[in-house]
């Protein structure tokens, strides 16, 4: 057997593997971030969507119409100082009803909350006067909280 020495340029070059490991590490970090932080946000958004749907399906009182077709919902810390999730659903309406009557209608509402407890609405009347044809603007809010936040960063 004869051993020969090969020239260094004739030897095959080994590829560096560090770019592969850097990319793999970044991918693992992104997937971990989605699993730990985004999935709880998506779950809370789904709960909020169901609550918004229940508020939207609640019948309007007589002489009342929506001022805005969309119903607004928010997840996060709405009251208190942290480490819990609150859900707030807001609906903007136009009504001819007296202030006390519209307030009584929504205070007696029994919309099912996230954990089955009935929610009543709080009515805020626009103090700036009437809109058109005797209608005045009101905002009705339904608040449900506090709930366990999980890893939803909006609730910490």
């Amino acid at each position: 057997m004869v051993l020969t020495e090969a020239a260094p340029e004739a030897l095959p070059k080994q590829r560096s593997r560090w770019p592969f490991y850097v990319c793999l590490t970044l991918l693992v970090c992104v997937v971990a971030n989605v699993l730990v932080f985004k999935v709880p946000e998506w779950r809370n958004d789904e709960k909020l969507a169901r609550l918004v749907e229940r508020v939207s399906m609640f019948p309007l009182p007589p002489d009342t119409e929506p001022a805005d077709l969309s119903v607004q919902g928010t997840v996060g810390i709405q009251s208190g100082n942290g480490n819990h999730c609150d859900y707030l659903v807001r609906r903007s309406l136009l009504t001819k009803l007296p202030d006390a009557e519209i307030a009584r209608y929504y205070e007696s509402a029994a919309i099912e909350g996230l954990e089955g407890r009935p929610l009543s609405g709080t009515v805020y009347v626009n103090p700036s006067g009437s809109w058109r044809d005797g209608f005045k603007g009101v905002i009705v809010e339904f608040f449900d909280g506090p709930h366990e936040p999980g890893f939803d960063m909006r609730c910490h």
Side-chain angles (χ1 to χ4, degrees):
M1 175 170 189
V2 177
L3 293 175
T4 59
E5 192 173 310
E9 59 274 353
L11 292 174
K13 283 188 164 184
Q14 286 192 348
R15 289 184 159 189
S16 176
R17 293 189 180 200
W18 71 267
F20 170 75
Y21 290 121
V22 168
C23 290
L24 183 62
T25 302
L26 288 174
L27 180 64
V28 167
C29 289
V30 168
V31 169
N33 181 42
V34 167
L35 291 176
V36 171
F37 296 109
K38 293 310 261 181
V39 170
E41 284 183 18
W42 296 337
R43 290 181 62 216
N44 286 339
D45 288 343
E46 176 60 31
K47 291 176 185 177
L48 177 65
R50 287 185 299 213
L51 185 58
V52 165
E53 183 179 353
R54 286 193 290 273
V55 169
S56 298
M57 299 303 291
F58 191 75
L60 295 176
D63 294 326
T64 303
E65 60 188 48
D68 187 1
L69 295 180
S70 65
V71 177
Q72 301 168 347
T74 306
V75 177
I77 300 172
Q78 306 295 324
S79 70
N81 61 358
N83 203 29
H84 67 277
C85 265
D86 297 323
Y87 298 81
L88 181 67
V89 178
R90 182 178 297 121
R91 187 163 198 188
S92 189
L93 303 171
L94 295 173
T95 187
K96 290 183 177 180
L97 295 177
D99 298 351
E101 190 174 335
I102 188 108
R104 193 170 38 254
Y105 181 84
Y106 280 104
E107 286 171 357
S108 65
I111 294 177
E112 182 182 346
L114 298 178
E115 295 175 351
R117 144 179 104 215
L119 301 177
S120 62
T122 303
V123 176
Y124 301 95
V125 179
N126 185 356
S128 65
S130 66
W131 287 56
R132 59 173 171 74
D133 299 330
F135 281 94
K136 61 186 163 203
V138 296
I139 294 176
V140 182
E141 290 184 343
F142 293 89
F143 176 82
D144 194 359
H147 294 281
E148 180 65 33
F151 287 111
D152 189 339
M153 297 311 291
R154 299 172 293 185
C155 303
H156 290 278

